Amino acid sequence: MDSKSPIGVFDSGVGGLTVLDELIHRLPHENFIYIGDTKNSPYGEKTDQEIIDYVSNIVRYLEKCDVKQVVIACNTATVNSEHVADKKEPEVIGIVYPTAFKAINTTKTKNVLVLATPVTIRKGLYQTILKKLGINVYAKACPKFVPIIEANKMNTKESLDAVREVLEPFKGQNIDTVLMGCTHYGLLAKEIKEVMGDVNIVDSGNATYEVVHNSLQKNHLLNNTKEPGHVELYTTGDVKTFKKSMSWFNKRIDSIDFISV
Ligand code: DGL
């Protein structure tokens, strides 16, 4: 592996593309391999052991691709990734801590609402980090959101109704920050603002970029070429369906293919 090697990024589906979007924007000379594990999506309702196995298989696959770094662009996978957390070559980066700290630095009222998958809420890592730093945390699992987003049904009555159903009870609690504890949910930001009013939406893209950049810099792995990077997307499911689910993604893509991991 060297500085020209790609960065591996993965999620259960299209949600992690919200992180990739930011990484391509901020690191335009890097090469990326993105895997959407749509065959096993949604992760958010699987057992811990199932998710641990998905993470192991994908990390192993990315290692074979000689990636220089792995970014777990999925909270549900991150909270089930202790078994790969100490890896050094390639380093494996999770998104929960950077996203939690971004929310802590954003809130003024110290009331934060965490929205995430049932697994991420059950594991409680966001709640623990935020509470330790004096934040009053509201946490809610939103199992209806991922299927809506994978079906590319954002900006519809269905998406607004689903968001309204979840968020109505949290209005009037002096919440000024909504933490997207699932990388898919940033795609419902418009609906969330419509229901919650003027709140800060914290997602993983920006926060993760800083960790990725610092780690590449520390390890002398930043790609210093002047050429634009190469972006390869893979799905473990149906390519046609994947392309349809991600038609909102407007960054450069060089290929979209099927893989079995
Ligand atoms: N995008 C993922 C996350 O950040 C998981 C969604 C799912 O597959 O349930 O948690």
Side-chain angles (χ1 to χ4, degrees), residues 145-166:
F145 288 8
V146 169
I148 288 174
I149 294 159
E150 284 290 324
N152 204 348
K153 288 185 183 161
M154 292 78 80
N155 303 312
T156 62
K157 181 173 178 318
E158 188 180 344
S159 63
L160 185 59
D161 286 349
V163 168
R164 203 183 293 285
E165 188 186 316
V166 166

Side-chain angles (χ1 to χ4, degrees), residues 218-236:
K218 180 188 81 200
N219 295 315
H220 309 287
L221 285 172
L222 275 171
N223 191 339
N224 292 320
T225 59
K226 294 283 167 276
E227 305 293 310
H230 202 259
V231 181
E232 295 169 20
L233 265 47
Y234 295 94
T235 171
T236 58

Side-chain angles (χ1 to χ4, degrees), residues 12-249:
S12 63
V14 298
L17 291 173
T18 60
V19 177
L20 182 68
D21 190 300
E22 183 72 17
L23 294 179
I24 293 175
H25 174 63
R26 308 286 293 269
L27 298 164
H29 306 296
E30 297 292 344
N31 301 308
F32 291 95
I33 292 180
Y34 179 91
I35 299 177
D37 189 14
T38 45
K39 182 181 136 203
N40 297 310
S41 167
Y43 282 3
E45 289 167 68
K46 297 281 166 45
T47 64
D48 289 348
Q49 191 53 54
E50 283 172 314
I51 300 164
I52 288 168
D53 291 343
Y54 303 149
V55 171
S56 301
N57 292 341
I58 294 176
V59 170
R60 201 173 311 123
Y61 184 92
L62 288 169
E63 277 174 336
K64 283 197 207 131
C65 300
D66 200 30
V67 298
K68 61 183 179 184
Q69 187 182 62
V70 175
V71 180
I72 308 182
C74 173
N75 294 272
T76 313
T78 299
V79 297
N80 281 293
S81 65
E82 268 175 29
H83 59 302
V84 291
D86 290 337
K87 267 188 162 306
K88 286 283 167 275
E89 284 192 8
E91 197 162 355
V92 179
I93 290 177
I95 58 178
V96 169
Y97 277 92
T99 313
F101 283 111
K102 195 174 161 207
I104 290 163
N105 291 330
T106 301
T107 180
K108 297 268 181 298
T109 66
K110 307 279 178 225
N111 291 307
V112 174
L113 171 60
V114 176
L115 303 178
T117 66
V119 168
T120 304
I121 295 295
R122 171 172 57 74
K123 299 286 277 189
L125 183 56
Y126 273 117
Q127 295 94 308
T128 306
I129 303 169
L130 293 167
K131 277 183 194 157
K132 253 192 200 151
L133 288 163
I135 305 294
N136 183 31
V137 188
Y138 298 85
K140 179 74 183 163
C142 313
K144 283 190 185 167
F145 288 8
V146 169
I148 288 174
I149 294 159
E150 284 290 324
N152 204 348
K153 288 185 183 161
M154 292 78 80
N155 303 312
T156 62
K157 181 173 178 318
E158 188 180 344
S159 63
L160 185 59
D161 286 349
V163 168
R164 203 183 293 285
E165 188 186 316
V166 166
L167 293 184
E168 280 292 343
F170 297 102
K171 286 169 74 174
Q173 313 275 9
N174 204 18
I175 291 166
D176 69 345
T177 302
V178 181
L179 186 159
M180 303 290 152
C182 170
T183 51
H184 282 74
Y185 297 178
L187 294 162
L188 293 177
K190 211 168 132 217
E191 286 87 336
I192 291 169
K193 284 211 173 215
E194 188 164 338
V195 177
M196 291 298 280
D198 188 23
V199 287
N200 304 301
I201 306 266
V202 168
D203 65 27
S204 302
N206 201 304
T208 307
Y209 155 73
E210 278 167 29
V211 180
V212 167
H213 176 265
N214 293 347
S215 152
L216 290 176
Q217 195 166 46
K218 180 188 81 200
N219 295 315
H220 309 287
L221 285 172
L222 275 171
N223 191 339
N224 292 320
T225 59
K226 294 283 167 276
E227 305 293 310
H230 202 259
V231 181
E232 295 169 20
L233 265 47
Y234 295 94
T235 171
T236 58
D238 180 53
V239 174
K240 233 167 110 186
T241 312
F242 188 64
K243 281 186 180 165
K244 238 167 103 183
S245 316
M246 50 157 291
S247 58
W248 51 267
F249 186 76

